[in-house]
Amino acid sequence: MVRRTKEEAARTRSRIMDAAVDVFFDRGVANATLNEIASQANVTRGAIYWHFKNKLDVFDALNDRLQLNFADTILADLRNDHPHPLLQLERMCADLLIDLENNLDKFKVLSILFLKSDYTGEMEPYLDLQNARKKQSIELFSEYFARAKKHKHLLADVDTRVLSMALLSYITGIVVDYLRDPGSLVMREHAPKFMRLFFRNLG
Amino acid sequence: MVRRTKEEAARTRSRIMDAAVDVFFDRGVANATLNEIASQANVTRGAIYWHFKNKLDVFDALNDRLQLNFADTILADLRNDHPHPLLQLERMCADLLIDLENNLDKFKVLSILFLKSDYTGEMEPYLDLQNARKKQSIELFSEYFARAKKHKHLLADVDTRVLSMALLSYITGIVVDYLRDPGSLVMREHAPKFMRLFFRNLG
DNA sequence: GATTATACATTCGTAGTTGTTTGTTTTCGA
DNA sequence: TCGAAAACAAACAACTACGAATGTATAATC
């Protein structure tokens, strides 16, 4: 059995990536071997080397597929003017956290990005990439908070840039703590409380 | 040259650990080889295998030496009653963050624990250990906040447990974001602002 | 319907790492 | 002071994973 149709080949490729998610999650990116990924995907290493250059290239593909771009997801929702923009943001952040609990794939991929990669050597550029994306998010939030301030929805004395950095770090921390110990809290219950704590004093 | 005195042997051991910090930081725990650690410490692998069982055992020793126990460091300071306990806590957290900027060794070790380890396979127990320590910290903070609430320093309607979890996650996030991109902020300036944002609405 | 390129499987050589063993020298304890 | 063990260095053996090369059967193309 060889030489599948193009569609089958594409499915093979995505099966390899799915397998990579599992293996990276279970064994860490550095420890994961192409053999493990191959057998998890029910192919041989040959198939992986056909579709990808090497392990890093697989990671690269995963990175693309994830679209960790908070920005894109959030921006769309932020575009339309909401009567109470801060509340809107608060809800969105909570939903984003709760989604981690329901979406196993997102949980695994975020685990890979935050816990299972060391970003040394050839992987360093991917950290830079994530940091660049984060800067984008900061700018986005800053602008958003600035608008809220103009509309008197936000206290005038807060530094919007510091505020958005703080919010993003807050979310990062909640995510990381959750990934490191998923049993320690129930997102559906805790996320709204966490967010309330942060937003209660801004209005 | 062999068979040093006991003191010299102890120094060799700690030199190996120092080297391990550098190598783990630069290459990640999983990618780091004992050869790299050895040459960084100006010894051979034989020396490492004399002092440690294997790479994991070196990591274990590092884990012990760090005493990431926020608890111990903080507990001592929290013991004595402060006129304004929340302000005290706020300052302490800020100082803790600022220390990251000045103390390179702490920066590296925290990087190793948060970014350079995947905690898979044999390393899993160390994540459990850290999570257990974190639970301790939560309990500690909870109790502390509860005291503050009794003294009317804290709003009565906040859940102290959720509050301490939130604070710890907040700190985790700031730390992780800083470790991932140290150039993005200056702790001496930002840490007090971050903390002020969190504490301003509690009193 | 022959040819070519595709989509893999299989095999191979190699470099790197690990754990172990052996060797050597010096310090410590009796 | 004299063995015994400490504190390593050096050599060895085994495995593993990688990358590349090769093989091969089928789909696409004409």
Side-chain angles (χ1 to χ4, degrees):
Chain A
M1 52 350 200
V2 267
R3 176 59 185 181
R4 318 295 174 79
T5 172
K6 293 219 177 213
E7 298 150 24
E8 275 185 292
R11 249 176 287 150
T12 299
R13 186 188 141 95
S14 90
R15 262 175 45 229
I16 291 174
M17 289 173 63
D18 292 340
V21 170
D22 286 339
V23 175
F24 285 165
F25 177 78
D26 287 337
R27 306 243 314 134
V29 176
N31 288 309
T33 76
L34 292 182
N35 248 330
E36 290 169 338
I37 297 175
S39 63
Q40 172 78 16
N42 283 339
V43 295
T44 64
R45 270 173 56 244
I48 298 181
Y49 274 104
W50 172 254
H51 287 285
F52 305 95
K53 196 181 163 193
N54 50 30
K55 191 168 74 176
L56 194 73
D57 198 35
V58 178
F59 180 84
D60 185 67
L62 284 185
N63 218 43
D64 277 359
R65 190 172 71 165
L66 171 63
Q67 297 291 30
L68 181 59
N69 249 345
F70 281 114
D72 289 356
T73 324
I74 287 179
L75 191 58
D77 199 46
L78 289 187
R79 284 292 183 214
N80 52 1
D81 279 338
H82 194 279
H84 203 318
L86 284 186
L87 198 68
Q88 177 196 15
L89 186 59
E90 180 181 344
R91 287 244 175 89
M92 203 160 42
C93 292
D95 289 343
L96 200 143
L97 291 174
I98 293 173
D99 192 39
L100 265 187
E101 204 165 44
N102 304 322
N103 193 334
L104 182 59
D105 187 64
K106 200 167 267 183
F107 180 89
K108 285 191 177 181
V109 176
L110 275 177
S111 280
I112 292 171
L113 294 183
F114 275 110
L115 306 181
K116 312 292 189 173
S117 312
D118 51 29
Y119 299 108
T120 63
E122 319 256 2
M123 287 194 65
E124 258 194 70
Y126 295 93
L127 185 55
D128 300 338
L129 212 148
Q130 290 178 30
N131 287 335
R133 285 207 269 243
K134 214 211 163 195
K135 275 194 176 179
Q136 276 188 354
S137 299
I138 292 176
E139 294 307 325
L140 227 140
F141 276 35
S142 287
E143 206 181 323
Y144 184 78
F145 280 131
R147 283 209 318 248
K149 196 191 269 186
K150 269 191 186 167
H151 293 338
K152 307 288 184 190
H153 289 133
L154 181 62
L155 293 175
D157 68 328
V158 292
D159 182 338
T160 59
R161 188 173 179 74
V162 171
L163 178 59
S164 53
M165 290 175 72
L167 177 56
L168 281 172
S169 285
Y170 190 42
I171 293 177
T172 298
I174 296 171
V175 168
V176 168
D177 280 345
Y178 179 65
L179 295 177
R180 289 168 62 98
D181 193 4
S184 66
L185 53 84
V186 180
M187 270 302 176
R188 185 172 297 276
E189 296 175 9
H190 284 82
K193 292 181 181 175
F194 286 151
M195 286 304 124
R196 196 80 276 277
L197 253 172
F198 191 89
F199 280 90
R200 68 184 296 180
N201 64 324
L202 300 177
Chain B
M1 63 316 222
V2 269
R3 174 59 187 183
R4 317 297 173 76
T5 171
K6 295 222 174 210
E7 297 151 24
E8 275 184 289
R11 250 175 286 151
T12 299
R13 187 187 142 96
S14 91
R15 263 175 46 229
I16 292 173
M17 289 173 64
D18 292 339
V21 170
D22 287 339
V23 175
F24 285 165
F25 178 78
D26 288 337
R27 307 243 312 134
V29 176
N31 289 308
T33 75
L34 292 181
N35 248 331
E36 291 169 339
I37 296 175
S39 63
Q40 172 78 15
N42 283 338
V43 294
T44 63
R45 271 174 53 246
I48 298 181
Y49 273 103
W50 170 253
H51 287 286
F52 304 95
K53 195 181 164 192
N54 50 30
K55 192 169 74 175
L56 195 73
D57 198 36
V58 178
F59 180 83
D60 184 68
L62 285 185
N63 218 43
D64 276 359
R65 190 171 73 166
L66 171 63
Q67 298 290 29
L68 182 59
N69 250 344
F70 281 114
D72 289 356
T73 323
I74 286 180
L75 191 59
D77 200 47
L78 288 187
R79 282 293 182 212
N80 51 1
D81 279 339
H82 193 281
H84 203 317
L86 284 186
L87 198 68
Q88 177 196 16
L89 186 59
E90 180 181 344
R91 288 245 173 90
M92 204 159 42
C93 292
D95 289 344
L96 200 143
L97 291 174
I98 294 173
D99 193 39
L100 264 188
E101 202 164 45
N102 304 322
N103 193 334
L104 182 59
D105 186 65
K106 199 167 269 186
F107 180 89
K108 286 192 177 181
V109 176
L110 275 177
S111 281
I112 293 171
L113 294 184
F114 274 108
L115 306 182
K116 312 293 187 172
S117 310
D118 52 29
Y119 299 107
T120 62
E122 319 255 3
M123 286 192 67
E124 259 194 69
Y126 294 93
L127 185 56
D128 299 339
L129 211 148
Q130 291 177 30
N131 287 334
R133 286 206 269 243
K134 214 210 162 197
K135 276 196 175 177
Q136 275 188 355
S137 299
I138 292 176
E139 295 306 326
L140 225 140
F141 276 35
S142 287
E143 205 181 323
Y144 185 77
F145 281 131
R147 281 208 320 246
K149 194 191 271 188
K150 268 193 187 165
H151 294 338
K152 309 284 184 189
H153 288 134
L154 182 64
L155 293 175
D157 68 328
V158 292
D159 182 335
T160 58
R161 188 174 178 75
V162 171
L163 179 58
S164 53
M165 289 175 73
L167 177 56
L168 281 173
S169 285
Y170 190 42
I171 293 177
T172 299
I174 297 171
V175 168
V176 167
D177 280 344
Y178 180 65
L179 295 177
R180 287 168 64 99
D181 193 3
S184 66
L185 54 84
V186 181
M187 270 301 176
R188 184 172 298 276
E189 296 175 10
H190 285 81
K193 291 180 182 175
F194 286 150
M195 285 305 123
R196 196 79 277 277
L197 253 172
F198 191 91
F199 279 92
R200 66 185 295 179
N201 64 324
L202 299 179

